[in-house]
């Protein structure tokens, strides 16, 4: 490959005039250790504490190891090479066992590995994939992927440290998010009566007396939504489109709406049937979503959290395509406070935690967007690299 003068838009002070960047094939930068990989069928794995890695990370734990060093794994096959819901490049350190669904690369410099891990996760590799039904990144194509690198090792380290500090922030905020979710789960167990009990363990001041034993039919009115053709569901939202909810939650956006207001929705078909969404405003509920409206003096917010607590997926029927019917759901038993004021107190408490969770999740998303933007500045453009 020829190497013209390639530099990113943003460089750390002191490196502007030291050395340019270079574009190299990945095979020239790292040593490939694929010949050391060994797959083990699940039935042959001896359980242990050593992580067993596949194309997208840890899939099991085994007793023995075949690697005891720091390496970079890159997915060799699987739909994730296109979908990118998980990283396709991930570092592994210490004792590990890696199967033949992930390429294994060793680098001379830790900073080089860190840079290329971030770079490979930020670009599309479609032009290097083979196979349609099962995308594959074979060894030959892996080796020729062009990658940009500063010639100066200290500059590599500066960039790696910068990106690592952002990753640490994301990790810390993610841990806080998980803590909030765990707290909410525990709080729900306290605010609703346990199995066999008629009052919750945690109760707000001023409320007493047993909760009423009833069922979903008595407290709500449920109805399946309206069919909409898949061709009329759009991926992106604009001012003239409305959220469209199906059996697994948000499906996309439509030009029509079936409901207006606040409604809990129950997904009624698919592997995730029983999932609960709170829709607000104008929206389209498809035939695979059940809208729920409270009867009499019952709080809609309390009803939403009650539906979450009931774990409705357990009532699904059918193997190939699990489903829930209104008739089945109406018979689901529950306990409720007799006063709408207590219902609302419970809902407000949980809603305040949900607000914290939403804010925390947004912080994480903002950090990821900041890193993505920073990556575009710290590396030469992908077009320059691929055209080289």
């Amino acid at each position: 490959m020829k190497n013209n003068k390639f530099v990113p838009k943003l460089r750390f002070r002191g490196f502007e005039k030291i050395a340019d960047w270079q574009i190299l094939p990945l095979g020239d930068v790292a040593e490939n250790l694929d010949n050391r990989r060994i797959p083990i069928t699940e039935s042959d794995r001896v359980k242990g504490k050593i992580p067993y890695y596949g194309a997208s990370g840890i899939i099991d734990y085994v007793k023995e190891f075949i690697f005891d060093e720091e390496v970079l794994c890159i997915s060799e096959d699987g739909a994730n090479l296109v979908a990118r819901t998980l990283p396709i490049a991930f570092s592994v350190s210490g004792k590990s066992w890696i199967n033949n669904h992930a390429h294994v690369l060793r680098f001379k410099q830790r900073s080089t590995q860190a840079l290329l891990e971030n770079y490979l996760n930020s670009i599309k590799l479609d032009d290097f994939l083979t196979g349609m039904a099962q995308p594959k990144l074979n060894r030959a194509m892996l080796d020729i992927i062009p990658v940009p690198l500063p010639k100066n090792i200290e500059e590599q380290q500066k960039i790696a440290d910068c990106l690592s500090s952002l990753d640490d922030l994301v990790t810390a905020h993610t841990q806080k998010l998980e803590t909030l979710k765990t707290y909410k789960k525990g709080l729900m167990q306290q605010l609703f009566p346990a199995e066999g009990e008629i009052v919750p363990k945690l109760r707000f001041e001023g409320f007493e007396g047993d909760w009423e034993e009833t069922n979903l039919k008595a407290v709500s009115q449920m109805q399946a939504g309206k069919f909409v053709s898949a061709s009329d569901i759009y991926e992106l939202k604009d001012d003239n489109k409305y959220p469209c909810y199906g059996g697994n939650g948000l499906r996309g956006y439509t030009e029509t709406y079936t409901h207006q207001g606040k409604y809990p929705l129950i997904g009624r078909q698919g592997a995730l049937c029983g999932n609960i969404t709170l829709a607000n405003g104008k929206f389209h509920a498809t035939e695979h979503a059940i809208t729920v409206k409270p009867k009499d003096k019952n709080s809609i917010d309390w009803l939403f959290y009650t539906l979450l607590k009931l774990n409705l997926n357990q009532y699904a029927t059918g193997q190939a395509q699990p489903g829930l019917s209104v008739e089945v759901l109406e018979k689901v038993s529950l306990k409720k406070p007799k006063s709408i004021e207590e219902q609302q107190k419970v809902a407000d408490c949980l809603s305040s935690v949900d607000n914290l969770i939403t804010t925390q999740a947004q912080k994480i998303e903002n950090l990821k967007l900041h890193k993505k933007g920073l990556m575009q500045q710290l590396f030469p453009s992908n077009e320059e690299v691929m055209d080289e």
Side-chain angles (χ1 to χ4, degrees), residues 311-326:
N311 185 25
L312 296 176
N313 182 263
Q314 65 181 305
Y315 301 103
T317 58
Q319 296 295 320
Q321 182 72 306
L324 286 165
S325 68
V326 170

Side-chain angles (χ1 to χ4, degrees), residues 41-230:
T41 59
E42 186 173 1
S43 59
D44 291 333
R45 293 175 205 156
V46 179
K47 300 298 181 183
K49 297 181 179 180
I50 306 296
Y52 179 81
Y53 290 88
S56 300
I58 298 174
I59 58 175
D60 206 347
Y61 289 87
V62 294
K63 188 175 181 180
E64 304 295 336
F65 63 92
I66 53 176
F67 293 93
D68 188 8
E69 58 185 304
E70 186 149 17
V71 295
L72 181 67
C73 290
I74 300 173
S75 304
E76 181 169 339
D77 50 34
N80 188 57
L81 281 167
V82 177
R84 306 299 280 271
T85 53
L86 295 169
I88 61 156
F90 51 94
S91 289
V92 173
S93 60
K95 296 177 179 178
S96 64
W97 193 299
I98 303 169
N99 70 19
N100 59 342
H101 293 290
H103 295 290
V104 185
L105 303 181
R106 175 197 285 154
F107 293 82
K108 291 182 179 179
Q109 300 288 338
R110 175 68 184 88
S111 58
T112 306
Q113 177 175 326
L115 254 65
L116 294 188
E117 178 181 352
N118 279 285
Y119 179 73
L120 291 170
N121 281 323
S122 72
I123 63 170
K124 291 185 177 180
L125 295 176
D126 297 23
D127 292 341
F128 299 92
L129 304 180
T130 60
M132 297 296 291
Q134 177 77 330
K136 184 177 179 67
L137 177 61
N138 62 42
R139 167 74 184 276
M141 298 304 286
L142 175 77
D143 285 346
I144 64 171
I145 295 173
V147 293
L149 281 173
K151 293 180 180 178
N152 186 284
I153 295 297
E154 292 181 4
E155 185 174 8
Q156 289 188 25
Q157 190 62 56
K158 274 281 189 183
I159 298 171
D161 289 345
C162 174
L163 296 175
S164 177
S165 67
L166 278 174
D167 287 338
D168 290 343
L169 271 176
V170 170
T171 299
H173 281 285
T174 301
Q175 290 173 345
K176 184 176 179 181
L177 177 62
E178 292 307 312
T179 299
L180 284 169
K181 289 180 178 179
T182 301
Y183 172 70
K184 178 189 170 184
K185 184 177 180 180
L187 191 59
M188 287 189 71
Q189 292 172 346
Q190 299 278 321
L191 290 173
F192 288 86
E195 186 71 28
E197 301 291 331
I198 52 177
V199 292
K201 291 181 179 179
L202 180 62
R203 206 159 188 190
F204 294 98
E205 189 176 350
F207 299 104
E208 55 187 30
D210 296 344
W211 282 31
E212 179 184 346
E213 296 194 48
T214 182
N215 57 36
L216 279 176
K217 183 177 182 179
V219 299
S220 67
Q221 178 182 340
M222 293 179 278
Q223 185 175 15
K226 183 179 178 182
F227 170 81
V228 60
S229 171

Side-chain angles (χ1 to χ4, degrees), residues 246-250 265-277 288 311-314 316 320-324:
N248 295 323
L250 183 66
L265 305 179
I266 304 171
R268 65 179 291 261
Q269 193 165 17
L272 299 179
C273 67
N275 69 86
I276 309 299
T277 304
H288 296 311
N311 185 25
L312 296 176
N313 182 263
Q314 65 181 305
Q321 182 72 306
L324 286 165

Side-chain angles (χ1 to χ4, degrees), residues 274-292:
N275 69 86
I276 309 299
T277 304
L278 186 62
N280 203 351
K282 296 176 180 178
F283 65 92
H284 191 118
T286 74
E287 76 279 17
H288 296 311
I290 296 173
T291 59
V292 186

